[in-house]
Amino acid sequence: MNRGKKTVRNLALCALLGALVYTMLGFPPYTVRGMLDRVERLYFLSDLEPVLVEKGSMRYDSDFFAHHTTYLIARTGDTYVSADFTRHGLEVWPQYRRNLAMSRDALCTGANGTLYVAGNFAEAASASVEVTAQRTTRTYDPETEEYELTLGEQKTFAYPGEKVSDDLLSFYYREEDPDTWGAWGPNTGLEGAAYNWYSTYHKGAPDGSRGVLHGDLPVKVTLYDEAGGVLDTLELTIDNYELHHGYW
């Protein structure tokens, strides 16, 4: 074989090897379009178009390769979905941090200190949001095999919003003051409350260990016109995990 034929042969073998590796990995989606196609197949959707694409990365001390996360909000008609994919090396895990969220007309989700609301906001000039957190404790009694739920005081956090597009509003709530992460007190911020105020305990556990309880926080979004008049209000909810867990 001459040099040209050997080059063609080696390229063909490399392509075949790459196809075999891609197949063994389960055809992971490496592009935004591929990720949306995966969501469409899993949830019987079609024609998803991205509303938000955010990317970030994190490297653990024990890893040679960084973890790269792509966070997506997409829409098809009046249906909105949010999902995230994490890539490590050649592998990609869909919805690595949480399950896919899906809603009609409007979707509320959070990532990395920002609360996002997707919907049809073409007529809105600006927006504000109010998120209410309540101290909630769930205790499991192994003797009775029952749960006891205890509710405490509430606190409402208000933030101005930014109109990113006709389909997306964003509200930045992360506070840099470490005091806002305190479990109690008037200075507690939303991110600290989402983490510290939702607790689960196992009665009689020797170490008194605490888990973070999932809870849906009420979210009120107010839309304004150019003159500052109220156009509409939306009553939504958001999981507290989305408020205190970053996606990278």
Side-chain angles (χ1 to χ4, degrees), residues 117-137:
V117 179
N120 184 2
F121 306 124
E123 298 182 2
S126 59
S128 64
V129 69
E130 294 181 352
V131 185
T132 301
Q134 183 173 26
R135 294 172 184 168
T136 304
T137 302

Side-chain angles (χ1 to χ4, degrees), residues 42-126:
L42 288 175
Y43 297 94
F44 304 101
L45 299 169
S46 62
D47 302 322
L48 279 176
E49 294 296 332
V51 173
L52 173 73
V53 178
E54 288 282 355
K55 296 184 178 182
S57 63
M58 176 188 297
R59 185 188 302 275
Y60 298 98
D61 293 338
S62 58
D63 285 340
F64 181 78
F65 295 107
H67 290 74
H68 300 277
T69 299
T70 301
Y71 177 76
L72 301 170
I73 298 178
R75 70 172 295 181
T76 174
D78 61 354
T79 298
Y80 295 84
V81 299
S82 69
D84 49 270
F85 290 77
T86 296
R87 178 174 59 83
H88 183 234
L90 295 176
E91 297 182 274
V92 177
W93 295 277
Q95 297 138 50
Y96 177 79
R97 182 170 60 91
R98 59 184 170 212
N99 293 327
L100 175 138
M102 184 185 306
S103 180
R104 301 194 67 176
D105 298 325
L107 174 72
C108 182
T109 184
N112 202 38
T114 300
L115 187 150
Y116 296 102
V117 179
N120 184 2
F121 306 124
E123 298 182 2
S126 59

Side-chain angles (χ1 to χ4, degrees), residues 41-42 99 112 117 161 168 212 215 238 243:
R41 291 194 300 271
L42 288 175
N99 293 327
N112 202 38
V117 179
L168 186 67
V212 180
I238 188 169
L243 294 171

Side-chain angles (χ1 to χ4, degrees), residues 35-242:
M35 294 172 187
L36 293 180
D37 290 342
R38 173 70 64 88
V39 173
E40 288 179 354
R41 291 194 300 271
L42 288 175
Y43 297 94
F44 304 101
L45 299 169
S46 62
D47 302 322
L48 279 176
E49 294 296 332
V51 173
L52 173 73
V53 178
E54 288 282 355
K55 296 184 178 182
S57 63
M58 176 188 297
R59 185 188 302 275
Y60 298 98
D61 293 338
S62 58
D63 285 340
F64 181 78
F65 295 107
H67 290 74
H68 300 277
T69 299
T70 301
Y71 177 76
L72 301 170
I73 298 178
R75 70 172 295 181
T76 174
D78 61 354
T79 298
Y80 295 84
V81 299
S82 69
D84 49 270
F85 290 77
T86 296
R87 178 174 59 83
H88 183 234
L90 295 176
E91 297 182 274
V92 177
W93 295 277
Q95 297 138 50
Y96 177 79
R97 182 170 60 91
R98 59 184 170 212
N99 293 327
L100 175 138
M102 184 185 306
S103 180
R104 301 194 67 176
D105 298 325
L107 174 72
C108 182
T109 184
N112 202 38
T114 300
L115 187 150
Y116 296 102
V117 179
N120 184 2
F121 306 124
E123 298 182 2
S126 59
S128 64
V129 69
E130 294 181 352
V131 185
T132 301
Q134 183 173 26
R135 294 172 184 168
T136 304
T137 302
R138 189 180 68 178
T139 305
Y140 175 70
D141 189 338
E143 294 185 359
T144 62
E145 298 185 345
E146 294 181 350
Y147 290 93
E148 179 183 355
L149 191 66
T150 304
L151 301 179
E153 66 182 84
Q154 296 181 348
K155 183 176 181 180
T156 298
F157 303 86
Y159 304 95
E162 176 186 355
K163 184 177 178 180
V164 180
S165 68
D166 286 346
D167 297 308
L168 186 67
L169 305 172
S170 69
F171 306 87
Y172 187 76
Y173 61 84
R174 176 160 290 165
E175 301 178 48
E176 303 301 331
D177 185 355
D179 289 341
T180 63
W181 272 88
W184 319 114
N187 296 325
T188 298
L190 175 58
E191 197 165 7
Y195 180 78
N196 290 310
W197 288 11
Y198 294 82
S199 304
T200 178
Y201 295 95
H202 194 284
K203 190 174 182 179
D207 57 356
S209 59
R210 167 188 175 269
V212 180
L213 180 68
H214 276 278
D216 289 328
L217 280 63
V219 176
K220 179 181 178 181
V221 180
T222 304
L223 307 176
Y224 305 96
D225 59 20
E226 290 284 356
V230 176
L231 283 176
D232 197 5
T233 58
L234 307 176
E235 302 290 341
L236 307 170
T237 61
I238 188 169
D239 191 316
N240 61 313
Y241 267 60
E242 297 187 38

